[in-house]
Amino acid sequence: MTGSTKRPVLELVNARISYFTRAGEINVVPDISFTLHEGEALGLVGESGCGKSTVAFAVMNYLGGSGRLTGGRILFEGRDMQKMSAAELRAVRGNKMSMVYQDPMSSLNPVMTVGRQLMEVPIIHEGASEAAARERAIAILKEVNLPDPESVFERYPHQLSGGQQQRVVIAMALMSEPSLLVMDEPTTGLDVTVEAAVLDLVVRLRETRNSAIVFISHNLGTVVRICDRIGVMYAGELVEEGPIGKVFRDPRHPYTRGLLDCIPVLGSDKRSAPLVPIPGQVPPAMARPRGCVFAPRCPHVVPERCSVGDIPTSPAGGDAEHLVQCVREPELPDYRRPQASGPIEAAIEASEPMLSIVHLDKVYRQAGGLFDSAGGYDVRALSDVNLEAQRGTTLAIVGESGCGKSTLAKVLTGLEKATAGKVSLGGVEIGDTAVENRSRAVKRQLQMVFQNPDSTLNPSHSIGYAIARTLQRLKRLAGGLANREARGLMETVKLPADFVARKPRQLSGGQKQRVAIARALAGGPELMVADEPVSALDVSVQAAIINLLIEIQRQRGATLVFISHDLSVVRYLADRVAVMYLGKIVEAGTVEQVFAPPYHPYTEALLSAVPIPDPDVKQKRIILEGNIPSVTNVPPGCPFATRCPRKVGPICDTTPPPELRTPGGHRIVCHIPLEELTVVDPVVKRAS
């Protein structure tokens, strides 16, 4: 922020950060400089391994026993952090500067109540009395919009939801009104509605408290919503920095452009705007290339200029606010997102359904207490679900956690049996048959890709063994033939064939997810169920996995059921979308129908919560109050009535809503007349 009259809160001046191991010094951040003023928010983005979290811990002077600042300075409110004594650091951390971690449970003591942990901040740092600390703790719980703060104050962390735990951690960080707030992936893993609420909270608190914020994320949409400026990190270097609008509209570093090319944007889909993953991987700190560290992956590299010496940071086009570390920046053409290279592929025409779900119910019987064997109650996880997926198409299932998406996947794969209704796969009824009782032919036809590949790969066995064993069981292939086909499947998912000899621990997260897909392909399935397969991946790896799924679907004509809470990915990948809430389908239709009015009020709220990586997009914000009702106490009327911002009246509480249908087959389950839903303004619009 050149020329700012505000007070600098944080200054990194040629900071050099290293870790010391048995192999010697490993320089992970060779040289980074930036200044953050009061009330300003800087977003640090980049792939895993780029040094974002290392910078965050260095700012807190908390690098552990093996890490240290080996050059330059880090100044907090003008004071050199390296020259502070241990007592001075304790007085600053948690008081003048606070940190919010990705996993809230890593910051919360499971054996202490939430209130006691909050009270410790003013008691330790300010010597406040117990009564004063309690009053402030309850006040801050109200400020972060936690329902019934007095009750939350008395609870233990495990008695709160993930979103509530994250709000408690933010409340703890704000208890002492810090000058600097460092947030490291604070919304990763949260539902889109909870994420939106947390982001809104951060924006509001920043405005009221004038705190400076370092916001670390791999989600560029959250950075657009929170920050004034963005810093793009690659292999420990700040390769581009500037105001959000300038960097997103005119990215000048090839790496920044590569990140933007990896993410779906408003109005794009798999037919019109291909995602372009960045080739290769971030180099290890011990194998940093000479010259431009991005050169081995850069499409604009000129070796005799890019790989011979240090690359200076210079103003882009003479703009002192927009800094770029690239010798070819003045020569790069204006940025344009990739477009389809040939004729746009037509949408798949309707064909016979590969998957048909009719009036599906799933009820779990919960036993009574230890001394109440005759008691118990029913939990209805799925209620009257009706869906179809045509051959060769992608059906996306979206909704918040607890809406029944994963239960539906378990019924499809036979991990759970349907209580009522029918599930047909290619005309064969499978809903009432557990996976162990399904025929080999059915098992080959339907395979699943799970969210976390580590939970499905045995760490003791090689990748080749995992895939070959699947081939032997599903295709009855002999050992040698199974091993050869396993190597072929590695190439299908764009991995080297010799990866079959590796153990899971020797692969990156994206590589393990490709292995999971290869194993699912081993039987030649006609239907693949993918449960959040890209939610925890970097944007470049996410783009590569999405492209892989699209390519496999085109080559093999497979049907894909894609479960996700990321509506940007769903908008890009899916042909049809079903929106679930509390075990029911509240809206279903083609992707074009579901993402444009008329909306179900719940769909409208989900779309308003999606962080969009485009500063030129205007987005209506709809705040959903409260949590999803318990499945043990489902409302008798509309399941969404307790949170609906467009509630009609008492009828919503007492009477199940009718199913409304448009001539194109778009289904909306709601009491609001279709003609009223049709005239609703779009949630997302491009600024004029």
Side-chain angles (χ1 to χ4, degrees):
M1 185 178 280
T2 304
S4 173
T5 59
K6 293 186 176 182
R7 175 177 59 97
V9 174
L10 177 67
E11 298 170 83
L12 273 70
V13 184
N14 303 120
R16 185 178 192 272
I17 307 167
S18 299
Y19 286 96
F20 291 84
T21 68
R22 293 179 180 176
E25 179 183 355
I26 301 176
N27 179 217
V28 293
V29 177
D31 186 353
I32 185 169
S33 300
F34 64 81
T35 300
L36 189 63
H37 297 80
E38 59 183 355
E40 190 178 22
L42 171 70
L44 290 181
V45 303
E47 296 168 281
S48 297
C50 283
K52 306 185 298 297
S53 294
T54 296
V55 169
F57 283 109
V59 165
M60 303 293 293
N61 198 0
Y62 195 69
L63 288 166
S66 61
R68 70 188 70 154
L69 189 72
T70 54
R73 296 187 300 163
I74 298 178
L75 306 178
F76 174 68
E77 295 184 337
R79 301 174 62 193
D80 192 329
M81 295 284 290
Q82 298 301 305
K83 295 181 179 178
M84 291 185 185
S85 66
E88 289 175 318
L89 284 172
R90 281 196 299 272
V92 168
R93 294 190 195 122
N95 185 20
K96 287 288 190 176
M97 59 165 57
S98 297
M99 187 162 180
V100 178
Y101 299 89
Q102 177 174 345
D103 177 14
M105 283 304 290
S106 66
S107 305
L108 296 173
N109 190 326
V111 298
M112 289 177 64
T113 63
V114 165
R116 190 70 225 176
Q117 295 182 64
L118 289 171
M119 288 170 60
E120 283 188 341
V121 178
I123 289 174
I124 291 173
H125 288 289
E126 302 169 26
S129 67
E130 293 266 340
R134 177 185 175 86
E135 185 177 343
R136 283 179 57 181
I138 291 177
I140 196 72
L141 290 174
K142 289 179 181 177
E143 193 169 352
V144 297
N145 290 340
L146 279 166
D148 193 3
E150 288 82 3
S151 173
V152 172
F153 182 90
E154 301 293 344
R155 294 182 193 174
Y156 289 90
H158 71 271
Q159 295 174 305
L160 304 177
S161 69
Q164 289 173 333
Q165 290 171 358
Q166 194 63 282
R167 293 188 197 200
V168 168
V169 171
I170 292 173
M172 190 181 302
L174 294 171
M175 276 291 286
S176 58
E177 300 192 4
S179 303
L180 175 66
L181 186 60
V182 180
M183 310 187 79
D184 190 0
E185 299 276 10
T187 61
T188 299
L190 299 181
D191 280 329
V192 65
T193 51
V194 178
E195 176 184 64
V198 170
L199 295 178
D200 289 346
L201 168 66
V202 173
V203 170
R204 190 178 76 252
L205 296 176
R206 174 189 159 204
E207 292 171 350
T208 58
R209 295 170 181 265
N210 206 31
S211 298
I213 297 176
V214 177
F215 188 86
I216 296 170
S217 181
H218 69 268
N219 186 331
L220 299 181
T222 62
V223 172
V224 168
R225 185 170 284 186
I226 289 287
C227 301
D228 311 288
R229 292 163 49 216
I230 184 171
V232 182
M233 288 194 69
Y234 184 76
E237 298 183 8
L238 198 61
V239 297
E240 185 163 4
E241 181 201 353
I244 286 286
K246 292 181 180 180
V247 173
F248 273 80
R249 295 184 189 106
D250 186 25
R252 300 306 302 166
H253 195 281
Y255 180 60
T256 310
R257 295 183 173 196
L259 290 178
L260 293 175
D261 289 346
C262 290
I263 53 178
V265 294
L266 182 67
S268 69
D269 61 28
K270 58 189 176 185
R271 299 178 182 88
S272 62
L275 302 181
V276 182
I278 304 172
Q281 295 180 348
V282 179
M286 297 183 70
R288 187 184 302 276
R290 179 174 170 79
C292 174
V293 72
F294 186 60
R297 304 172 72 188
C298 182
H300 303 286
V301 64
V302 177
E304 58 270 22
R305 295 177 60 191
C306 301
S307 304
V308 293
D310 293 339
I311 307 298
T313 298
S314 57
D319 185 347
E321 288 190 327
H322 190 175
L323 304 176
V324 183
Q325 192 182 82
C326 179
V327 295
R328 297 208 59 203
E329 182 275 324
E331 308 160 23
L332 296 181
D334 292 340
Y335 175 67
R336 295 286 184 273
R337 285 193 62 87
Q339 299 296 319
S341 57
I344 295 176
E345 175 193 358
I348 298 175
E349 295 293 333
S351 60
E352 74 277 12
M354 182 65 212
L355 174 69
S356 177
I357 303 172
V358 181
H359 300 306
L360 175 64
D361 288 351
K362 175 58 186 176
V363 178
Y364 293 98
R365 181 66 182 174
Q366 297 293 318
L370 181 62
F371 303 106
D372 184 20
S373 58
Y377 55 93
D378 289 338
V379 175
R380 188 172 294 276
L382 298 174
S383 179
D384 197 25
V385 173
N386 295 278
L387 285 174
E388 279 190 353
Q390 273 68 37
R391 291 181 184 273
T393 65
T394 298
L395 168 66
I397 312 291
V398 302
E400 296 168 284
S401 296
C403 283
K405 306 185 301 295
S406 293
T407 300
L408 178 59
K410 289 177 181 178
V411 173
L412 296 182
T413 54
L415 297 175
E416 297 284 356
K417 291 169 62 176
T419 305
K422 293 187 176 182
V423 179
S424 299
L425 178 67
V428 177
E429 169 60 29
I430 61 172
D432 59 353
T433 308
V435 62
E436 60 269 20
N437 297 324
R438 290 182 178 180
S439 67
R440 184 178 296 107
V442 169
K443 291 177 181 177
R444 287 181 57 182
Q445 276 187 299
L446 193 155
Q447 288 289 306
M448 185 164 181
V449 179
F450 294 89
Q451 177 176 355
N452 181 10
D454 282 318
S455 64
T456 60
L457 293 174
N458 190 323
S460 302
H461 291 150
S462 69
I463 298 304
Y465 174 86
I467 297 175
R469 182 172 182 271
T470 305
L471 289 163
Q472 290 167 350
R473 291 179 66 87
L474 294 183
K475 286 190 171 181
R476 296 291 194 184
L477 297 184
L481 185 57
N483 290 332
R484 284 196 296 274
E485 190 159 333
R487 296 175 69 87
L489 283 169
M490 286 288 96
E491 296 174 356
T492 299
V493 297
K494 306 295 191 294
L495 288 176
D498 59 7
F499 269 36
V500 294
R502 297 193 180 188
K503 298 287 180 64
R505 66 177 182 274
Q506 296 173 292
L507 274 61
S508 69
Q511 290 170 338
K512 283 185 279 195
Q513 195 61 282
R514 288 171 185 254
V515 170
I517 293 172
R519 186 168 62 179
L521 292 173
E526 297 185 51
L527 176 69
M528 291 176 60
V529 180
D531 189 1
E532 299 277 13
V534 298
S535 62
L537 303 178
D538 283 330
V539 290
S540 181
V541 180
Q542 174 181 281
I545 296 297
I546 291 171
N547 285 347
L548 175 62
L549 290 172
I550 293 171
E551 182 178 343
I552 288 170
Q553 189 174 43
R554 287 173 179 165
Q555 291 176 348
R556 301 185 176 222
T559 304
L560 179 64
V561 175
F562 186 83
I563 296 170
S564 180
H565 68 265
D566 189 334
L567 273 74
S568 296
V569 171
V570 166
R571 174 69 180 87
Y572 181 84
L573 180 63
D575 298 296
R576 298 187 66 83
V577 181
V579 183
M580 290 194 74
Y581 187 80
L582 211 60
K584 298 176 182 286
I585 303 295
V586 297
E587 182 168 4
T590 66
V591 69
E592 292 81 8
Q593 291 169 337
V594 173
F595 279 76
Y599 305 119
H600 187 282
Y602 179 58
T603 308
E604 187 180 20
L606 290 179
L607 292 173
S608 81
V610 177
I612 297 176
D614 188 338
D616 295 322
V617 163
K618 289 190 174 181
Q619 195 171 6
K620 184 195 305 183
R621 278 297 291 120
I622 300 170
I623 307 297
L624 291 183
E625 301 292 344
N627 299 314
I628 299 175
S630 169
V631 290
T632 63
N633 188 26
V634 177
C638 173
F640 187 55
T642 58
R643 303 169 74 200
C644 183
R646 305 183 62 197
K647 188 174 176 180
V648 173
I651 189 174
C652 297
D653 294 316
T654 59
T655 307
E659 182 177 276
L660 312 175
R661 282 182 177 262
T662 69
H666 185 188
R667 295 186 287 144
I668 301 175
V669 181
C670 188
H671 283 295
I672 302 173
L674 191 58
E675 55 269 20
E676 290 186 28
L677 294 174
T678 304
V679 297
V680 170
D681 288 334
V683 170
V684 180
K685 292 188 289 189
R686 186 165 294 280
S688 56

